[in-house]
Amino acid sequence: MSKKNPGKTDKTDKKNKRKLKEGSLAKRDAIAGLLFITPWIAGALIFLAYPLITSFRYSLYKIRMLPTGMRFRYVGYGNFTEILFSQTEFTTEMISYLVSTIISVPIIVVFALIIAIMLNQNVKGKGFFRLIFFLPVIIVSGPILGMLNQEGAGSLTSIDTQAITTILEETLPGALADPISDLFENMVTILWYSGVQILIFISALQKIDRSMYEAAKIDGGSGWECFWKITLPNIKPMILLNIVYTIVFISNNEQNSIIGLIQNSMFSGTQEKGYGYASAMAWMYSVVVLLLVGLFAGLFMSKKDVYEKQVKKAKKAHKKEQRQLKQIERRSARNAKKNAKAGRG
Amino acid sequence: MLKRTQKQAGDKDNIEQIVTPSGEVLIKDKKQITKDKIRKFMLGSKDREGFLKVFVIYALLICIGFIYIYPILHMLSSSFMTLDDLLDSSINWIPSSLNLDNYKQAAKSMDFWKSFGQSVIIAGLPTICNLISCSVIGYGLARFEFPGKKVVLGIILFTFILPSQVTMIPTYVLYSNMGILRTIWAFVLPAILGMGINAPIFILIFWQFFRQVPKVLIEAAQIDGAGYWKSFYRISLPSAAPAIITVSLFSFVWYWNESYLTSMYVSGIGRETGMTSLIIQLKNFATNYDKYSQTAASGAASINESINMSGTMLSILPLMIMYFILQRYFVESIDRTGITGE
């Protein structure tokens, strides 16, 4: 038909055809994309969804290992209440974990930022310093940190940790004083967690536009002001990233005693502990870690500013308008087609 | 500039000679000039950094750097010390003789070569699997639009934050039912399916990287008749070399240093049937060493700080060597992957 009738109708037909093709290509693309991530979907089902559900189920039971297999006894929330109220080890470890994490995360991130800013200056031997500050990433692992701390190599020798410890013990309750004095004793190895963060900060600092600083300098801004008004806002997303990274690494490190506690209760042969008890513990621990990350994320999540919001709004309105225009166009095209048909008929 | 000010000062001098005794004004001006010079040198000007600032930065960097690697230096020096050196309070840093006995005994008790070989397998195989799976998944997420993509990205982020302990117990049971507990498969299988250790980070690195590959390139390849798979591994993958290097290095290091999950899944707790790695050997160093020193015919010294430190040194030595050879790739890795955005 379109061959016979060149003109308006032909154009619209062509348009329709192309559209059809576009749709099918997108569909094929989507299928290919899904195929590419099938391994992940399978992995998420087998190693994420299934274990999550099962471990929640386990946490409601007392599980005994018998030669014939596992024996389940339903206890409801018994495991949770037991861990929280009748056994003290988990709660004390939890408090010390929280205290030490909340204190050491800012220390690590600020330290990383300071080092990154210093290395971002015109320093000779930048590569050498980077090499040193990144070295711990390669060797940091639970047993090695344990060994170093055991031999006292992880402390700052120049600071008299003994004095700090005694002061802390006199002024603070035991549950708070112990993790803090631990922190001072192993200061260096705590700073060791900052290797990757330093690199992330350096590469973020290098991406800040130089001309912004120049403009600020022309306007009479001092270095101090430049840091607060230009550097910090620009690397704010990286601060959040580094905080999350730090929390995750501290939480998964073997030096963290809660992890050891979970493992010990998993393999303990006693009646009241075992898989169910350990699962309940792991669940509570995960919730706390997620809450901690959420807390920090909430504090540092960059709010969208007014300008951005308005731009988004305008874009949306524009899209809507375009859609309406297209609709009108299509309608008029259809009408034209009809008219043409009618005219021919 | 300098000359002119002096000249000006001279003019001034000439004028003011009438009022004040000569020389005073001139000297004053000279002082001012030198003062200015020193100030400029110390605090810097618009286009030059001050000496003071540079000095402070270098001093801080060197001090902090020293403190930072102090544990390693301490470890290195005390690993060479004999028992007498350890007890001698006059010896702080440099041992009286280069004593390799500690290393020999630690290596024997750790069964160094066997553990080293198994460490390489434990770290290497999952790394290769991680590389394959994460690049494929990252490409799928970066190149294609499909429903639920945002959900997938969200879940990937979530798995990064979620502590592995919560899924550990059912996974352990699952592995033991499948009969792959205490074999390398317990690490390889999740890695193939994109669920290895820190796999979310690697997926995100690849995702970030493949997003930067120009779409035109892939479209051109497809016009030339390349399918989806071909345009992935012939066009996109070769251009992602930095991401591949970064992921393989980090994955290797992280698997090498992982002790908790390795002891759980691959070597088995309190058993000797499974595989072992240097880190696991270090974890059980005290008990292993006791066992060794009891059975050794030639009187092995009882455990002390030097032997502990040489054991630690031995278990990090392979990675240290790797790091110093490949340092450029490690240090530049973050820049290259563009984690910090384009």
Side-chain angles (χ1 to χ4, degrees):
Chain A
M1 185 190 79
S2 56
K3 266 179 196 169
K4 277 180 194 168
N5 238 13
K8 253 187 187 174
T9 45
D10 183 40
K11 238 183 198 170
T12 50
D13 255 5
K14 242 186 189 171
K15 222 180 199 175
N16 281 342
K17 244 185 196 168
R18 213 188 68 203
K19 232 183 210 139
L20 257 171
K21 254 190 182 170
E22 215 172 58
S24 72
L25 185 66
K27 216 174 188 178
R28 261 194 294 151
D29 265 7
I31 290 169
L34 283 173
L35 276 177
F36 267 99
I37 65 158
T38 353
W40 183 84
I41 294 172
L45 287 176
I46 301 172
F47 295 110
L48 185 71
Y50 165 75
L52 265 182
I53 295 163
T54 316
S55 98
F56 188 71
R57 201 168 60 88
Y58 281 1
S59 70
L60 303 177
Y61 289 86
K62 287 273 179 223
I63 298 168
R64 276 178 68 195
M65 295 301 284
L66 297 173
T68 48
M70 295 193 288
R71 185 122 130 251
F72 292 79
R73 184 163 59 84
Y74 185 75
V75 288
Y77 295 108
N79 281 324
F80 291 94
T81 51
E82 199 179 311
I83 292 164
L84 285 177
F85 303 116
S86 48
Q87 303 275 342
T88 52
E89 45 181 17
F90 184 75
T91 35
T92 48
E93 292 293 353
M94 203 62 189
I95 289 168
S96 80
Y97 161 77
L98 277 176
V99 170
S100 66
T101 309
I102 287 174
I103 294 172
S104 54
V105 165
I107 290 177
I108 291 168
V109 173
V110 170
F111 176 79
L113 184 56
I114 290 171
I115 297 290
I117 286 172
M118 283 203 283
L119 288 181
N120 198 37
Q121 311 283 339
N122 260 332
V123 188
K124 285 203 179 84
K126 212 184 264 180
F128 173 71
F129 284 117
R130 277 210 216 176
L131 197 66
I132 284 180
F133 287 111
F134 196 68
L135 180 61
V137 176
I138 308 302
I139 58 176
V140 83
S141 72
I144 283 162
L145 285 182
M147 209 56 133
L148 285 173
N149 292 345
Q150 178 197 327
E151 302 292 356
S155 63
L156 286 173
T157 36
S158 48
I159 296 179
D160 189 5
T161 48
Q162 207 66 43
I164 294 171
T165 315
T166 48
I167 290 169
L168 280 172
E169 269 163 10
E170 276 165 16
T171 50
L172 289 169
L176 281 175
D178 287 346
I180 297 176
S181 64
D182 269 3
L183 219 65
F184 275 105
E185 268 163 31
N186 304 322
M187 196 45 127
V188 177
T189 40
I190 282 165
L191 293 184
W192 269 15
Y193 287 108
S194 55
V196 171
Q197 288 89 319
I198 289 174
L199 287 193
I200 290 178
F201 274 142
I202 287 178
S203 80
L205 285 173
Q206 280 168 352
K207 297 225 167 78
I208 300 176
D209 199 349
R210 290 274 116 201
S211 55
M212 267 201 271
Y213 289 103
E214 274 159 29
K217 245 178 204 167
I218 288 166
D219 285 347
S222 65
W224 182 249
E225 278 171 322
C226 282
F227 172 74
W228 288 102
K229 299 269 163 73
I230 298 175
T231 313
L232 218 51
N234 263 304
I235 59 168
K236 207 176 169 193
M238 293 304 123
I239 295 177
L240 177 63
L241 177 74
N242 278 341
I243 286 173
V244 172
Y245 182 87
T246 314
I247 294 174
V248 168
F249 258 71
I250 291 178
S251 309
N252 280 335
N253 192 280
E254 220 194 333
Q255 281 300 97
N256 183 350
S257 45
I258 295 179
I259 289 182
L261 198 65
I262 293 170
Q263 201 181 43
N264 283 342
S265 39
M266 180 177 164
F267 289 109
S268 104
T270 54
Q271 276 271 350
E272 59 269 15
K273 288 186 180 174
Y275 287 5
Y277 186 85
S279 297
M281 235 180 215
W283 261 93
M284 284 200 271
Y285 175 60
S286 312
V287 168
V288 168
V289 170
L290 288 177
L291 281 180
L292 203 62
V293 171
L295 178 81
F296 275 105
L299 280 177
F300 281 87
M301 195 76 93
S302 55
K303 285 180 203 114
K304 269 182 196 152
D305 57 14
V306 186
Y307 173 73
E308 222 169 292
K309 261 184 197 167
Q310 273 179 351
V311 165
K312 227 179 182 182
K313 227 179 179 178
K315 260 187 189 167
K316 243 185 192 169
H318 180 72
K319 252 188 186 169
K320 209 176 169 188
E321 224 169 71
Q322 288 256 315
R323 223 183 297 140
Q324 276 171 347
L325 268 175
K326 253 186 192 167
Q327 251 179 12
I328 291 167
E329 214 173 76
R330 224 179 290 150
R331 215 172 286 156
S332 64
R334 218 185 293 146
N335 283 345
K337 211 171 157 187
K338 246 185 212 168
N339 286 345
K341 248 185 187 172
R344 217 172 15 149
Chain B
M1 175 92 184
L2 206 85
K3 260 184 187 166
R4 215 171 66 197
T5 45
Q6 263 177 342
K7 206 179 160 194
Q8 273 177 351
D11 286 348
K12 231 190 212 168
D13 190 21
N14 278 337
I15 297 161
E16 285 183 348
Q17 230 175 7
I18 312 156
V19 189
T20 51
S22 66
E24 239 186 70
V25 179
L26 193 76
I27 291 165
K28 210 176 168 187
D29 275 350
K30 259 188 185 165
K31 260 187 189 165
Q32 197 68 42
I33 288 160
T34 47
K35 232 182 180 175
D36 272 354
K37 252 169 117 183
I38 291 171
R39 238 185 94 154
K40 223 176 195 176
F41 180 66
M42 283 306 200
L43 298 175
S45 59
K46 282 254 148 61
D47 43 50
R48 233 183 113 253
E49 269 169 3
F51 172 75
L52 213 63
K53 193 181 159 197
V54 174
F55 178 76
V56 167
I57 284 178
Y58 274 110
L60 272 177
L61 274 179
I62 290 168
C63 285
I64 296 173
F66 176 71
I67 292 170
Y68 211 64
I69 58 167
Y70 168 78
I72 300 170
L73 296 176
H74 177 90
M75 184 162 72
L76 190 66
S77 92
S78 61
S79 68
F80 285 115
M81 286 181 185
T82 59
L83 198 58
D84 295 338
D85 286 355
L86 277 179
L87 297 174
D88 193 342
S89 58
S90 66
I91 294 176
N92 261 337
W93 278 101
I94 303 160
S96 59
S97 61
L98 199 65
N99 179 21
L100 287 172
D101 241 25
N102 301 320
Y103 278 99
K104 275 179 200 154
Q105 303 206 341
K108 265 183 197 158
S109 82
M110 288 170 90
D111 203 352
F112 181 77
W113 287 111
K114 188 182 153 221
S115 323
F116 172 73
Q118 296 196 339
S119 293
V120 171
I121 295 172
I122 286 177
L125 271 181
T127 297
I128 295 169
C129 301
N130 247 344
L131 207 60
I132 297 168
S133 65
C134 293
S135 61
V136 169
I137 295 162
Y139 183 76
L141 288 171
R143 167 79 181 77
F144 304 107
E145 291 296 331
F146 50 87
K149 191 169 130 180
K150 279 198 174 146
V151 179
V152 170
L153 281 171
I155 294 174
I156 288 174
L157 270 182
F158 174 75
T159 48
F160 172 58
I161 299 167
L162 190 77
S164 59
Q165 279 67 38
V166 71
T167 55
M168 180 177 77
I169 298 162
T171 315
Y172 184 81
V173 175
L174 185 73
Y175 288 159
S176 101
N177 287 343
M178 287 164 82
I180 57 170
L181 203 62
R182 286 187 286 283
T183 63
I184 187 68
W185 285 101
F187 265 3
V188 168
L189 198 64
I192 288 177
L193 297 178
M195 287 282 148
I197 294 167
N198 285 327
I201 297 180
F202 303 138
I203 293 176
L204 291 179
I205 286 177
F206 274 117
W207 173 66
Q208 180 76 28
F209 209 92
F210 284 133
R211 276 202 315 175
Q212 290 167 5
V213 173
K215 221 169 178 176
V216 199
L217 216 64
I218 294 164
E219 276 165 8
Q222 280 181 342
I223 286 167
D224 285 349
Y228 290 112
W229 182 248
K230 206 167 194 178
S231 62
F232 163 64
Y233 84 94
R234 293 293 288 273
I235 308 291
S236 300
L237 207 57
S239 63
I244 292 172
I245 291 169
T246 308
V247 167
S248 44
L249 288 180
F250 274 86
S251 173
F252 191 81
V253 166
W254 278 332
Y255 267 104
W256 183 286
N257 282 333
E258 179 63 51
S259 55
Y260 188 78
L261 295 177
T262 312
S263 71
M264 188 104 176
Y265 296 148
V266 182
S267 13
I269 291 167
R271 285 168 220 251
E272 281 168 19
T273 48
M275 295 177 84
T276 180
S277 74
L278 284 173
I279 296 293
I280 300 290
Q281 290 287 341
L282 186 69
K283 197 177 165 187
N284 311 321
F285 191 68
T287 50
N288 281 346
Y289 191 81
D290 271 356
K291 227 181 265 168
Y292 159 74
S293 64
Q294 275 164 17
T295 54
S298 58
S302 60
I303 197 156
N304 59 38
E305 192 189 339
S306 300
I307 293 175
N308 268 339
M309 286 297 131
S310 27
T312 317
M313 237 9 235
L314 277 178
S315 60
I316 62 173
L317 203 61
L319 281 189
M320 290 266 259
I321 293 170
M322 184 175 116
Y323 177 58
F324 283 113
I325 294 172
L326 302 173
Q327 36 144 321
R328 201 164 62 85
Y329 297 105
F330 274 106
V331 172
E332 287 171 8
S333 54
I334 309 267
D335 282 345
R336 282 152 167 254
T337 50
I339 290 175
T340 48
E342 303 94 283

